[in-house]
Each structure stands twice: as structure tokens, then as C-alpha cells.
Amino acid sequence: PEPVSTPDSSTDGSNCGVVVLALEGQKAFNGSNGSVVNLAHSSDWEVEDGIISFGFTANDLNGRQGLFSKDANQFSGGGNHIAVWLEGSVLYARFQSNNEEVKFSLGNIVEGKSYQVALHYGEDGVQAYVDGKSIGDGELVVNFAENSEYAQIGGLGWSSKAGSSSFGNAFNGKIDDFKVSQISAGTNQLSGDY
């Protein structure tokens, strides 16, 4: 995707920094692996301080369903992984450095309701927001410049070997306007509840 400059900030993370990757519009996922967007690593992903943002609406809440991952088994491939998924009606966001992890959750996700997710990672730590409200933050440093794994939108690659394109846990629903944005180091454009 072509980089797009979006210098103004927004409360949902969708217009922060410079967009380096985007899946614009709405994409439907049918719960099969064939609907998952599986992206090979490229230099566009090598963002040291960034924001990942997207909207989602689940068609059902059955089992585990991946929304986004740039991940591999445990800390393989050097870590610096992120995964976001549904486990029934609970949304999880997990961040991994090269040897530690933090996981945040939000319960009571409702089938058919739209949610906006914004994740910040970088030298100042990690933060996860849903609909503009913090669901967690931590001092863990995650750097996508150190992550060369495949990325999945609508699936989870977290049990794959380092460098593998394999994944599972396909999502059944819609994901809107997926974006990865580069922000200036030390800039926390998602601070506070809004």
C-alpha cells in the first residue's frame, strides 16, 4: 500500500501519524481460512513507534477468532509480537517483547455491534483502547522493526514457526479501515480516556 500522510490526531487512532499500511474500507470474513488476509513481511511493517487501528463487528462469538496478528510461536523470531482476538465475548490484546508479554482484555463484546480498536506500541510502552477507552497499558517495549513475521487480518498466526505463513482461528465478521501508522518516538497520541 502507498504511504499516506495524516498529520492530525484522532481519538480512535485512525488518523495518527503517517499511515504506512492500510486495508481501507470494510472487508467481510466468513470464518474460513480462505477469507483471512495473510501478508508477508515487508519494510512497511518496520515501525518502531506505531499505532494499529481498525474497527470490527463479529457475526458470532463462537470460540477463538483472530482479528489481527503479527506473531509466531512463543517469542520465536525475536518476539516483538502483537495479537488481537476474541475468545467468546472477551476481546484480548497481547503484546510481546523478546522475552516478556502483557495481555489486556475487555469482556461483554456483543455480536453485531461495531467496535473501534487502537493499539500503541514503542519505546514508551504499550496501550490498548476500545471505543476510546483504555483497556490496559504497560511499560513493555515492542518494536516492529524487530518483527519479520507474516501478519494476519482476520486470523491468528501465533502458533506458527518463525517466518511461516501458517495461521488459524479465522474471524467471522467485518473489519474496517485497518491501518498501521508511524508516530514520532516518545509521542503518545492515545493518552488518557477520551
Side-chain angles (χ1 to χ4, degrees):
E2 293 289 319
V4 179
S5 178
T6 54
D8 58 311
S9 65
S10 118
T11 59
D12 64 7
S14 64
N15 290 320
C16 293
V18 176
V19 176
V20 295
L21 278 164
L23 181 66
E24 295 180 341
Q26 186 177 81
K27 168 122 173 73
F29 297 83
N30 63 16
S32 74
N33 284 351
S35 65
V36 174
V37 177
N38 196 24
L39 302 169
H41 176 76
S42 74
S43 61
D44 291 337
W45 285 101
E46 295 175 3
V47 175
E48 294 181 21
D49 284 276
I51 294 172
I52 297 169
S53 63
F54 60 91
F56 78 91
T57 306
N59 290 340
D60 67 55
L61 298 171
N62 300 327
R64 180 180 294 150
Q65 300 183 54
L67 296 171
F68 166 73
S69 71
K70 189 155 173 43
D71 202 347
N73 189 32
Q74 301 294 327
F75 300 99
S76 62
N80 291 286
H81 302 153
I82 296 178
V84 183
W85 72 96
L86 293 170
E87 191 91 33
S89 64
V90 180
L91 173 75
Y92 291 96
R94 184 187 72 189
F95 300 83
Q96 291 180 322
S97 68
N98 60 355
N99 62 1
E100 295 180 80
E101 73 176 37
V102 294
K103 183 167 65 172
F104 310 120
S105 64
L106 175 68
N108 300 313
I109 298 297
V110 177
E111 180 179 313
K113 182 179 176 185
S114 295
Y115 297 89
Q116 182 66 35
V117 175
L119 309 168
H120 170 257
Y121 62 92
E123 67 179 31
D124 293 330
V126 295
Q127 300 170 309
Y129 287 78
V130 176
D131 291 340
K133 298 290 184 190
S134 175
I135 65 166
D137 61 77
E139 295 180 6
L140 187 72
V141 174
V142 175
N143 177 352
F144 262 15
E146 303 293 325
N147 178 332
S148 60
E149 302 305 326
Y150 275 74
Q152 292 79 32
I153 301 170
L156 286 175
W158 63 4
S159 62
S160 64
K161 292 181 182 179
S164 171
S165 64
S166 65
F167 62 87
N169 304 110
F171 177 57
N172 184 8
K174 297 176 184 72
I175 293 179
D176 301 302
D177 296 323
F178 178 90
K179 294 180 179 140
V180 178
S181 302
Q182 171 80 48
I183 60 174
S184 300
T187 302
N188 179 355
Q189 295 183 3
L190 295 177
S191 60
D193 288 350
Y194 28 81

